[in-house]
Amino acid sequence: MSSTEAQPAFVLHTRPYRETSALVDFFTPGGRVRGVLRSARGKTGSLARPFVPLMVEFRGKSELRSVGRFESAGNSPWLVGEALFSGLYLNELLVRLLPFETANPALYEQYALTLEALAQGHPLEPLLRAFEWRLLVELGYAFALDQDNSGHPVEAQGLYRLSTEEGLERVASFAPGLFKGADLLAMADADWAAEGALLAAKRLMRQALAAHLGGKPLMSRELFRKV
């Protein structure tokens, strides 16, 4: 990504850099980009906050870019309360898991649509589960929800556990932390009205993501828990 043409972007994370600048992680259709924003304490810096749709011009070819053109590209989704914490959670996932400058326009579009849905007051849990799953798919970490790691179809009455390297494994007897086949099939169809599907999906996504997040806890999840 060496072009200086402005492109759509969202701010994922900002921290002070030197005296008046900021080091900013952006999410663009071309991937995650880290740039130095000059005069970050002025009018320009007021736009360097999460969830604001931007048009940003990146200059240079190194991993740390210089930010040129930097302006609003529309109205910001208004996130408050749990919707705000959910947005911060999405941002933290992207900062922790997205490689630099690997194009992913489909994930970018899903992110923008999820922010809009959060601002409109749509139920949080289906939105978060759908985004987590899309993130796993786009990063190549996903697994089949309708068949086990032996290639057999998931059966509604079966019990399964997740191997992050091999996918779903059927087990013969009950143990804590297992997943019902009926819940897995509901997830595969995004049937969130099915009893137990959302709770099971939350556990499954947490297990699937944990293998790639390492041991460091998510700060946004801790904030959610405190609230």
Side-chain angles (χ1 to χ4, degrees):
M1 186 190 296
S2 58
S3 171
T4 59
E5 182 178 350
Q7 58 186 299
F10 285 95
V11 168
L12 296 176
H13 183 262
T14 304
R15 62 180 184 272
Y17 182 70
R18 296 181 177 172
E19 291 186 2
T20 61
S21 299
L23 204 59
V24 185
D25 276 20
F26 295 92
F27 185 29
T28 78
R32 183 162 65 103
V33 181
R34 180 166 291 169
V36 177
L37 181 64
R38 312 291 178 187
S39 303
R41 297 179 185 174
K43 182 179 179 181
T44 299
S46 67
L47 293 175
R49 62 183 190 274
F51 319 128
V52 178
L54 301 167
M55 289 298 293
V56 183
E57 176 188 88
F58 299 102
R59 299 172 179 169
K61 297 182 180 181
S62 66
E63 189 172 281
L64 183 59
R65 304 303 187 86
S66 177
V67 177
R69 177 183 167 192
F70 185 85
E71 60 190 30
S72 173
N75 295 325
S76 306
W78 185 250
L79 303 183
V80 295
E82 291 187 341
L84 174 61
F85 290 123
S86 297
L88 294 174
Y89 170 68
L90 300 185
N91 283 7
E92 190 172 10
L93 282 180
L94 292 170
V95 169
R96 294 276 295 273
L97 295 177
L98 271 189
F100 282 112
E101 304 199 14
T102 299
N104 207 314
L107 185 62
Y108 180 88
E109 181 179 8
Q110 175 104 7
Y111 174 81
L113 291 174
T114 302
L115 292 184
E116 290 180 13
L118 288 171
Q120 292 166 6
H122 291 227
L124 301 179
E125 295 295 329
L127 291 173
L128 295 180
R129 302 298 79 82
F131 186 83
E132 289 165 340
W133 181 248
R134 186 58 176 268
L135 180 60
L136 290 170
V137 169
E138 296 297 330
L139 293 178
Y141 299 147
F143 45 89
L145 290 167
D146 57 359
Q147 67 179 38
D148 64 23
N149 56 12
S150 298
H152 298 111
V154 165
E155 297 183 7
Q157 302 305 317
L159 293 172
Y160 300 83
R161 64 185 172 199
L162 176 64
S163 165
T164 53
E165 295 182 356
E166 299 180 5
L168 296 169
E169 178 185 0
R170 185 161 186 176
V171 296
S173 58
F174 178 81
L178 298 181
F179 298 92
K180 298 177 182 177
D183 293 338
L184 295 169
L185 293 172
M187 290 180 221
D189 292 334
D191 179 9
W192 302 123
E195 185 179 358
L198 274 174
L199 283 175
K202 187 172 186 175
R203 286 197 299 114
L204 185 67
M205 292 301 98
R206 184 165 292 195
Q207 288 183 26
L209 289 166
H212 308 291
L213 287 168
K216 185 179 177 182
L218 289 165
M219 294 179 61
S220 52
R221 191 176 285 164
E222 294 298 317
L223 284 173
F224 229 134
R225 186 175 292 115
K226 290 178 181 179
V227 173

